[in-house]
Amino acid sequence: MAIKSDRWIREMCVKHRMIEPFEEKQVRQGVISFGISSYGYDLRIADEFKIFTNVNSTIVDPKAMDPATMVDFRGAVAIIPPNSFALGRSVEYFRVPRDVLCTCVGKSTYARCGIITNVTPFEPEWEGFVTLEISNTTPLPARIYANEGIAQVLFFQSDEPCETSYKDKAGKYQKQVGITLPRL
């Protein structure tokens, strides 16, 4: 299994619509960078967020997430409270090939400010907008800039296609379009 280069990423996006919208060059001027890089793609966060709140004193339960624990926010800059987190979604829609697994890691610009971005792997033949988990590990409020880079996707191609893809098993997050809360 090898990591894929900018050439491969560009070809897959142009010929097979792997990422839409696709930014063919890395955009850096005046923004947190996004677009293609040497061995990855820096995705952007959209302007819609679900920000965790504790006003209802509920319990966080991954088997039954109470929507009342989140406040919906839409705007150019989201503020994540101290020691809290938010969910967001990517601007880009992804279509992962059957013989590819993607990992996603946070950008250093945010990590150096104590903001951690977590995303689970994109399995073979998964498609949709990426739900991003953004944690503010600091004791201060933190800004997240919509429509700018937040994480980098790395593409690993196997030497053989998998026997069962995410699409084959009808994964619960297949073709997700909004910010998706945990569900069974």
Side-chain angles (χ1 to χ4, degrees):
M1 188 173 276
I3 192 165
K4 303 311 286 184
S5 73
D6 50 1
R7 287 183 190 101
W8 181 89
I9 296 166
R10 186 177 297 108
E11 181 177 334
M12 291 301 292
C13 291
V14 171
K15 290 184 178 176
H16 302 286
R17 300 174 35 227
M18 185 173 71
I19 303 170
E20 288 184 307
F22 171 65
E23 189 60 52
E24 199 167 327
K25 298 198 184 281
Q26 193 166 65
V27 177
R28 303 169 57 107
Q29 193 67 29
V31 297
I32 298 172
S33 63
F34 61 89
I36 201 165
S37 63
S38 302
Y39 288 98
Y41 188 86
D42 292 359
L43 63 80
R44 294 170 285 176
I45 188 157
D47 66 351
E48 56 187 270
F49 300 87
K50 290 187 178 292
I51 302 171
F52 181 75
T53 180
N54 193 25
V55 297
N56 298 314
S57 297
T58 59
I59 295 172
V60 176
D61 183 349
K63 288 187 174 184
M65 188 74 166
D66 182 356
T69 62
M70 307 296 259
V71 173
D72 291 334
F73 173 79
R74 189 168 206 137
V77 178
I79 305 294
I80 302 178
N83 301 307
S84 190
F85 79 98
L87 298 176
R89 73 160 180 89
S90 63
V91 167
E92 295 84 359
Y93 190 91
F94 285 80
R95 293 175 187 87
V96 180
R98 188 175 185 91
D99 61 347
V100 171
L101 177 77
C102 301
T103 59
C104 192
V105 294
K107 290 185 65 69
S108 62
T109 299
Y110 278 118
R112 293 171 194 214
C113 297
I115 300 165
I116 307 302
T117 303
N118 181 49
V119 179
T120 58
F122 308 174
E123 293 189 42
E125 289 195 310
W126 171 80
E127 80 172 77
F129 290 99
V130 179
T131 296
L132 302 144
E133 301 85 23
I134 308 144
S135 297
N136 177 4
T137 65
T138 76
L140 303 169
R143 288 185 175 144
I144 305 298
Y145 294 93
N147 299 304
E148 296 189 23
I150 193 152
Q152 184 177 71
V153 180
L154 305 173
F155 300 84
F156 297 92
Q157 188 173 35
S158 178
D159 54 356
E160 65 180 344
C162 60
E163 188 173 298
T164 306
S165 73
Y166 195 80
K167 181 180 178 181
D168 294 340
K169 59 185 173 184
K172 62 186 170 183
Y173 301 116
Q174 183 72 336
K175 296 186 178 181
Q176 64 187 11
V177 294
I179 299 170
T180 308
L181 295 176
R183 60 181 185 234
L184 290 179

